[in-house]
Every structure is written in structure tokens, then in C-alpha cells.
């Protein structure tokens, strides 16, 4: 398992001094208080801006797509504006920035689109020999079709949503199709999956030194009740659910299997700057099933990627600087040599 912290990168001081960074996020200009709709995402956006500033970057902030309608006065854009209130909005900022030829954090628009389509991601996984749970896609306005598989319990959700928004667990196809019609009315394509017990395992992958994927230690979500799906309100902190019950995967065989499955998928999606490969694990059968890939996902210090990096002794500012440095390097924005050491924050 690639777990050495020597993959960390540091942006040279001369590059920090000259580069102009635009931070684009819905709550980029807010004060870091929870939002009535987006909950802790507002805290996350404020923390990300503060972290970018804390590592010494010159940061301007914007909260709307129209900041990109003309070419922004920036050398590089850190965009977290993934949920714009319309279908496939996560592709808009990358598309606008590609149009304006401005480098940005994350991944190309087409890779973002494929990864955010949960069903297409599953098809790619199957083509790479990675097992997935049974699933069926219903496109809004598409060709009608009946159930393609049988299952005692089903999960019905928008095919390209996040944080379990719009998700329902049902006991049969009749209920599934009723909820699918509801999601169609809201403008979404619908994914129906066979339910698997809720032991979610995330394998974080970030860009590190050497311009190659850095696979971080996998983290398992271990809830009190593995048969109850987490709600959007819980994930966004709109109800009191405490910190995510995340644990490092200690079992060596399971860790190696997770890394193997992740590395089978990486050629389809690399290059990108950070993301989580999500699996569901059933300890009763030892089965691993790929669920989805979340690129440009939550980088809040309380969430999976940061907590995984912390297990290696990599603090949150060092992680963010590594991810940004990798993106700058792969897009030709760094002029100076790079250090592969974790930044000495105490001396800074």
C-alpha cells in the first residue's frame, strides 16, 4: 500500500508570490457559519479559503458562475461550485474554465461528467473486472423498461446527486417506480440499486509528487445501524449526528484488495487532483462492491480524505498544498523546483 508521507509537495515561495488564485464556491464569501440549506458545506468552504490563504497563496473569492463568463483575472481557479441547482451543474465551471483556457483544480469536464454519472461509472468498473452491486438506470424521458433484476430491498436515488439527496430505500419495484416518477418530476435521471449492508469504504486518491496517483489508506464508515441509510440532513449537519464514524481499514488483506480494485479503475479517470473511490463491504460474505467515484469531493478537515492523510502524519494544510501543487505542476504553472517534504509549519 502506498502510504508514505514523502509524496507531499510544497509550492515554492516564488510561485506563491506570483500566482493569482480564484476560489469559487457557493459560500466562498461567507463567514463560516452553517447554512440553512447547505449546512456544514458553508463551514467547509470558509475553511478551504482560509487554508489556501494560510499556505501563502494570493486568493480572491467568488460565489457564482458568472465570475467565469469573462476570463477571470486569475492564473488558477480552485472551484468547489459543484451543486449549482440544475442537472449536471458540476461540469459547468470546468467547461467555462476550459473555454477561457484557465487552469483549474479537479479534473477535465468530460471526466467529471463520467464520474458523476453513477451508472456509467459502474459500467466502467465492470469492464475493468471490478464487481458492482446490481443496478438499473432510468433516464428521464428515455425508453421505458421494467425491472432488470430481483432484490428484496432497493435503493432509489438521482443518478448524479450527492450526499444522499433524494434517496429512498424501498421494499419492492412498485415503490421504486413511484419514487422514480417523483425524481423525474424534479428533473433527474434515476438509479435503482440492490441494497447492500451499509459498511461504506472509501479509498482516497490524491495527486502527489511524481505527478502520479497517491493512494491513501482506506477509511470505513461504521454506523451503529448498518441497515439504515444516512440521510442528506445527516451528511450536511442539518441534524445533530456527530462526526462521521470513520475508522481506518486495519485488515491487510482487505486493504490490498481495495487498492487493487482502485488501481484497476485509475487508468479510466486519471489525471485528476483528488477523489474518493467508494465501495460497499459485507463482512458476512467478505464481498466488495464498487459503488461510485467522487472526484473533487469534500476536502473538509473532518471528512474522509483529510482524516486518512492525518493517519500518515500529514496535516490538513499540508494535504491541501500537496493537492494544489500537483494540479499546478501537471498544468505547467510551477516555475521553481519542488520539495517533496511535508511543510514545516512551525517554522513558517
Amino acid at each position: 500500500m502506498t502510504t508514505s508521507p514523502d509524496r507531499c509537495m510544497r509550492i515554492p515561495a516564488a510561485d506563491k508570490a506570483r500566482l493569482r488564485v480564484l476560489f469559487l464556491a457557493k459560500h466562498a464569501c461567507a463567514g463560516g457559519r452553517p447554512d440553512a440549506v447547505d449546512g456544514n458545506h458553508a463551514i467547509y468552504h470558509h475553511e478551504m479559503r482560509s487554508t489556501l490563504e494560510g499556505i501563502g497563496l494570493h486568493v480572491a473569492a467568488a460565489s457564482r458562475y458568472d465570475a467565469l463568463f469573462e476570463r477571470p483575472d486569475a492564473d488558477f481557479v480552485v472551484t468547489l461550485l459543484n451543486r449549482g441547482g440544475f442537472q449536471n451543474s458540476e461540469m459547468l465551471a470546468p467547461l467555462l474554465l476550459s473555454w477561457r483556457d484557465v487552469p483549474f483544480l479537479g479534473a477535465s469536464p468530460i471526466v467529471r461528467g463520467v464520474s458523476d454519472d453513477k451508472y456509467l461509472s459502474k459500467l466502467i468498473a465492470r469492464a475493468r473486472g471490478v464487481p458492482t452491486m446490481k443496478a438499473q438506470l432510468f433516464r428521464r424521458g428515455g425508453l421505458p423498461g421494467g425491472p432488470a433484476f430481483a432484490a428484496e430491498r432497493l435503493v432509489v436515488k438521482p443518478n448524479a446527486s450527492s450526499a444522499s439527496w433524494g434517496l429512498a430505500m424501498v421494499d419492492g419495484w412498485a415503490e421504486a417506480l413511484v419514487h422514480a416518477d417523483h425524481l423525474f418530476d424534479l428533473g433527474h435521471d434515476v438509479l435503482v440499486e440492490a441494497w447492500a449492508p451499509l459498511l461504506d469504504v472509501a479509498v482516497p486518491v490524491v495527486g502527489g509528487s511524481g505527478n502520479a496517483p497517491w493512494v491513501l489508506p482506506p477509511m470505513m464508515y461504521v454506523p451503529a445501524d448498518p441497515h439504515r441509510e444516512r440521510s442528506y440532513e445527516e451528511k450536511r449537519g442539518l441534524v445533530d449526528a456527530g462526526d462521521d464514524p470513520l475508522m481506518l481499514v486495519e485488515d491487510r488483506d482487505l486493504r490490498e484488495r481495495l487498492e487493487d480494485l482502485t488501481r484497476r479503475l485509475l487508468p479510466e479517470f486519471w489525471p485528476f487532483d483528488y477523489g474518493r473511490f467508494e465501495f460497499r463491504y459485507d463482512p458476512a460474505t467478505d464481498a466488495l462492491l464498487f459503488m461510485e467515484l467522487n472526484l473533487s469531493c469534500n476536502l473538509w478537515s473532518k471528512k474522509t480524505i483529510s482524516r486518512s492523510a492525518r493517519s500518515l502524519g500529514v496535516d490538513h494544510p499540508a494535504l491541501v498544498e500537496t493537492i494544489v501543487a500537483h494540479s499546478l505542476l501537471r498544468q505547467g504553472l510551477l516555475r521553481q523546483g519542488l520539495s517533496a517534504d511535508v511543510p514545516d509549519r512551525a517554522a513558517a
Side-chain angles (χ1 to χ4, degrees), residues 318-342:
L319 172 69
V320 172
E321 184 163 359
T322 294
I323 291 170
V324 173
H326 167 264
S327 190
L328 293 170
L329 180 64
R330 74 177 176 86
Q331 296 179 86
L333 289 178
L334 294 185
R335 296 176 180 171
Q336 306 296 320
L338 282 168
S339 168
D341 298 326
V342 177

Side-chain angles (χ1 to χ4, degrees), residues 48-290:
M48 189 67 172
R49 177 180 177 178
S50 299
T51 302
L52 294 169
E53 293 170 341
I55 63 179
L57 293 168
H58 297 290
V59 180
S63 59
R64 296 169 56 90
Y65 291 110
D66 56 15
L68 307 180
F69 290 173
E70 300 293 336
R71 194 183 196 281
D73 184 23
D75 303 298
F76 182 73
V77 176
V78 174
T79 173
L80 304 184
L81 193 51
N82 298 334
R83 301 183 69 222
F86 58 92
Q87 185 80 327
N88 304 130
S89 60
E90 64 279 346
M91 297 175 65
L92 183 55
L95 284 166
L96 290 170
L97 289 163
S98 297
W99 175 38
R100 296 301 182 187
D101 195 26
V102 178
F104 56 92
L105 190 74
S108 69
I110 193 67
V111 170
R112 286 296 308 275
V114 171
S115 65
D116 285 337
D117 188 306
K118 294 177 173 63
Y119 187 74
L120 291 182
S121 295
K122 285 179 170 61
L123 293 183
I124 289 171
R126 293 172 193 167
R128 286 278 175 173
V130 176
T132 75
M133 60 190 61
K134 294 178 180 179
Q136 184 172 357
L137 177 67
F138 296 90
R139 297 282 187 196
R140 181 174 181 250
L143 297 174
F149 60 89
E152 293 183 359
R153 203 175 191 194
L154 298 166
V155 177
V156 187
K157 58 188 177 183
N159 187 45
S161 74
S162 62
S164 296
W165 182 89
L167 180 147
M169 289 196 309
V170 299
D171 294 325
W173 276 97
E175 291 179 71
L177 296 176
V178 169
H179 188 60
D181 284 338
H182 170 68
L183 293 174
F184 289 152
D185 289 342
L186 297 176
H188 295 276
D189 295 338
V190 176
L191 185 68
V192 180
E193 295 175 330
W195 164 257
L198 185 61
L199 285 179
D200 288 343
V201 187
V203 182
V205 180
V206 303
S209 61
N211 197 26
W214 183 9
V215 180
L216 297 175
M219 301 288 289
M220 182 179 290
Y221 178 88
V222 185
D225 182 359
H227 298 282
R228 186 182 70 84
E229 186 69 64
R230 287 180 289 171
S231 69
Y232 173 84
E233 289 75 17
E234 289 173 309
K235 290 185 178 182
R236 287 290 181 259
L238 295 169
V239 297
D240 185 13
D243 290 340
D244 291 347
L246 294 171
M247 297 174 55
L248 281 171
V249 175
E250 301 287 357
D251 182 85
R252 181 175 178 178
D253 176 68
L254 181 57
R255 286 167 64 118
E256 289 177 351
R257 288 165 59 201
L258 286 162
E259 179 170 0
D260 172 64
L261 295 178
T262 298
R263 291 198 180 280
R264 291 191 211 178
L265 292 168
L266 276 169
E268 300 283 355
F269 300 101
W270 190 261
F272 58 83
D273 295 318
Y274 65 103
R276 298 189 317 260
F277 289 80
E278 305 273 357
F279 298 85
R280 188 149 286 184
Y281 176 61
D282 184 352
T285 63
D286 204 34
L288 272 175
L289 299 172
F290 172 76

